[in-house]
Amino acid sequence: MNELIAVTKRFSLPGFVAKQIADWLYKKEIQTIDEMTNLSKRMREILANDYETGLSNPVSYSESSDGTRKYLYRVLENKFIETAFIPDDDRATICVSSQSGCKMGCIFCMTGKQGFQGNLSSNEILNQFRSLPEFRQLTNMVYMGMGEPLDNITEVLKSLEILTSDWGYGWSPTRITVSTVGILTNIREFLEKSRCHLAISLHSPFDEERRMLMPIQRTNTVREVLDIVRHFDFNSQRRVSFEYILFEGLNDSPRHIRELARLLNGIKCRINIIRFHPVPGSSFRSPAEKLILDFREALNRKGILTTIRASRGVDIQAACGLLSTLELNKR
Ligand code: SF4
């Protein structure tokens, strides 16, 4: 809103015009500045000389037999990012990317293998949502696509403000979850400046093992992340959860269950178990279904609410980063 007010000042327009422009952009779903019909024709022409609405349609998509759709958007001069639309019984979730590629280098992740290509602007983040063909069906949003959201915190916070403000899309923050590997310098800022849910990628409770899976653990340990979470006052509406990809023979033992319970003791949270979707060049495997169910039950018995995330879109390159890597290679 401050940026829109600055635009009105630049053209000596009354302050309320900023609110009118926000209405057109976020509530009335216009495509072009020329559709802002309560601004004079001359004003619309002046605005259109310097600004655009920033909408751009996906360049391609694939659809899974389970109804999940994966869209590719072009960003940053010929890079590609992935956005997933995941319909379920009573909800429809969009999974957005926050960066093209990623610096974090988690060894099980295809996006990590691409390396880093750039931060998305708040426009490029929100365009995935606004230009999604299923935009009007959406009930939930997760920042779990390509990139590490807290490594692009300024643009991610700006996009969250537009999503959740009364003058913006007016979404409840409890419909939005931001996922992170745990960047210490930015996690506190995220907790203080937004009211959205937080999901922390854990994947192992043991330092050495997590260091091997996720290089971030060398400098930002999960214990330090938990220290911040433990001392933050989560209200009853706001949730913190932990993502745990199960890898066969690596992090799926009773020892892991015991250590997880010890590590998360005293934190009101839930664990989301994720089945591993194979990526090329990786020898990791997902454990047998029975072991996954037993792992969940054991954690529930320890008093940690644990769920297994349904695998979606397995027939359309479900692992994040696969589709965009194929597109980059093609070109
Ligand atoms: S898992 Fe997330 S943080 Fe890690 S490399 Fe992939 S996109 Fe980046």
Side-chain angles (χ1 to χ4, degrees), residues 1 3 98 120-123 125-126 143 148-165 167 176 178 185-198 238:
M1 183 52 86
E3 290 178 16
S98 55
L120 301 191
S121 65
S122 53
N123 168 203
I125 296 170
L126 288 174
Y143 285 64
E148 160 55 46
L150 297 195
D151 188 41
N152 183 16
I153 188 153
T154 306
E155 296 302 310
V156 164
L157 284 175
K158 202 198 268 190
S159 67
L160 292 174
E161 186 186 351
I162 295 170
L163 278 166
T164 58
S165 293
W167 52 261
I176 303 168
V178 175
T185 46
N186 294 346
I187 208 162
R188 205 184 299 274
E189 184 178 356
F190 167 77
L191 287 172
E192 281 163 5
K193 293 191 176 164
S194 115
R195 289 176 295 135
C196 300
H197 298 315
L198 175 68
R238 196 174 193 185

Side-chain angles (χ1 to χ4, degrees), residues 70-136:
K70 250 200 178 187
Y71 290 92
L72 271 187
Y73 284 93
R74 192 193 306 271
V75 292
L76 301 166
E77 293 170 12
N78 248 0
K79 305 285 185 250
F80 296 91
I81 51 159
E82 298 174 18
T83 307
F85 168 70
I86 309 156
D88 214 338
D89 292 346
D90 55 349
R91 56 164 63 192
T93 303
I94 179 173
C95 175
V96 294
S97 296
S98 55
Q99 297 179 315
S100 172
C102 186
K103 295 176 202 160
M104 299 299 135
C106 306
I107 63 165
F108 49 83
C109 171
M110 203 61 204
T111 303
K113 289 185 200 303
Q114 273 186 21
F116 179 65
Q117 286 139 33
N119 279 328
L120 301 191
S121 65
S122 53
N123 168 203
E124 288 165 325
I125 296 170
L126 288 174
N127 180 60
Q128 298 166 63
F129 161 80
R130 175 63 186 81
S131 296
L132 196 81
E134 301 82 1
F135 166 65
R136 288 192 189 84

Side-chain angles (χ1 to χ4, degrees), residues 59-309:
V59 290
S60 66
Y61 85 101
S62 27
E63 179 161 0
S64 159
S65 53
D66 67 18
T68 300
R69 292 187 193 132
K70 250 200 178 187
Y71 290 92
L72 271 187
Y73 284 93
R74 192 193 306 271
V75 292
L76 301 166
E77 293 170 12
N78 248 0
K79 305 285 185 250
F80 296 91
I81 51 159
E82 298 174 18
T83 307
F85 168 70
I86 309 156
D88 214 338
D89 292 346
D90 55 349
R91 56 164 63 192
T93 303
I94 179 173
C95 175
V96 294
S97 296
S98 55
Q99 297 179 315
S100 172
C102 186
K103 295 176 202 160
M104 299 299 135
C106 306
I107 63 165
F108 49 83
C109 171
M110 203 61 204
T111 303
K113 289 185 200 303
Q114 273 186 21
F116 179 65
Q117 286 139 33
N119 279 328
L120 301 191
S121 65
S122 53
N123 168 203
E124 288 165 325
I125 296 170
L126 288 174
N127 180 60
Q128 298 166 63
F129 161 80
R130 175 63 186 81
S131 296
L132 196 81
E134 301 82 1
F135 166 65
R136 288 192 189 84
Q137 299 170 38
L138 293 173
T139 61
N140 293 76
M141 180 153 173
V142 294
Y143 285 64
M144 293 184 185
M146 298 172 74
E148 160 55 46
L150 297 195
D151 188 41
N152 183 16
I153 188 153
T154 306
E155 296 302 310
V156 164
L157 284 175
K158 202 198 268 190
S159 67
L160 292 174
E161 186 186 351
I162 295 170
L163 278 166
T164 58
S165 293
D166 288 344
W167 52 261
Y169 290 106
W171 269 40
S172 161
T174 58
R175 294 162 69 189
I176 303 168
T177 303
V178 175
S179 167
T180 180
V181 291
I183 297 186
L184 288 169
T185 46
N186 294 346
I187 208 162
R188 205 184 299 274
E189 184 178 356
F190 167 77
L191 287 172
E192 281 163 5
K193 293 191 176 164
S194 115
R195 289 176 295 135
C196 300
H197 298 315
L198 175 68
I200 297 168
S201 304
L202 184 55
H203 310 324
S204 173
F206 295 111
D207 280 357
E208 208 169 306
E209 208 168 78
R210 192 168 187 266
R211 259 202 308 274
M212 183 273 289
L213 290 168
M214 306 168 73
I216 187 75
Q217 176 75 8
R218 291 180 200 149
T219 48
N220 296 239
T221 69
V222 83
R223 270 163 222 281
E224 293 169 289
V225 173
L226 293 182
D227 220 35
I228 295 174
V229 168
R230 239 185 215 106
H231 292 103
F232 190 81
D233 182 19
F234 282 89
N235 64 31
S236 55
Q237 296 274 302
R238 196 174 193 185
R239 269 203 321 260
V240 59
S241 57
F242 294 88
E243 311 280 301
Y244 198 92
I245 304 178
L246 271 176
F247 300 105
E248 184 185 46
L250 180 79
N251 63 354
D252 57 356
S253 73
R255 196 168 67 93
H256 289 86
I257 294 166
R258 284 193 299 275
E259 187 61 14
L260 278 171
R262 225 171 53 81
L263 191 68
L264 302 181
N265 186 29
I267 300 176
K268 192 167 163 261
C269 63
R270 74 167 63 188
I271 293 182
N272 254 320
I273 293 175
I274 303 170
R275 293 178 183 86
F276 177 64
H277 295 299
V279 297
S282 163
S283 54
F284 290 125
R285 295 276 169 273
S286 187
E289 196 58 22
K290 163 117 177 45
L291 193 146
I292 297 176
L293 297 174
D294 290 349
F295 200 87
R296 176 188 65 186
E297 284 322 301
L299 283 169
N300 276 324
R301 277 198 303 275
K302 294 255 180 214
I304 307 176
L305 178 62
T306 305
T307 50
I308 300 170
R309 183 180 302 160

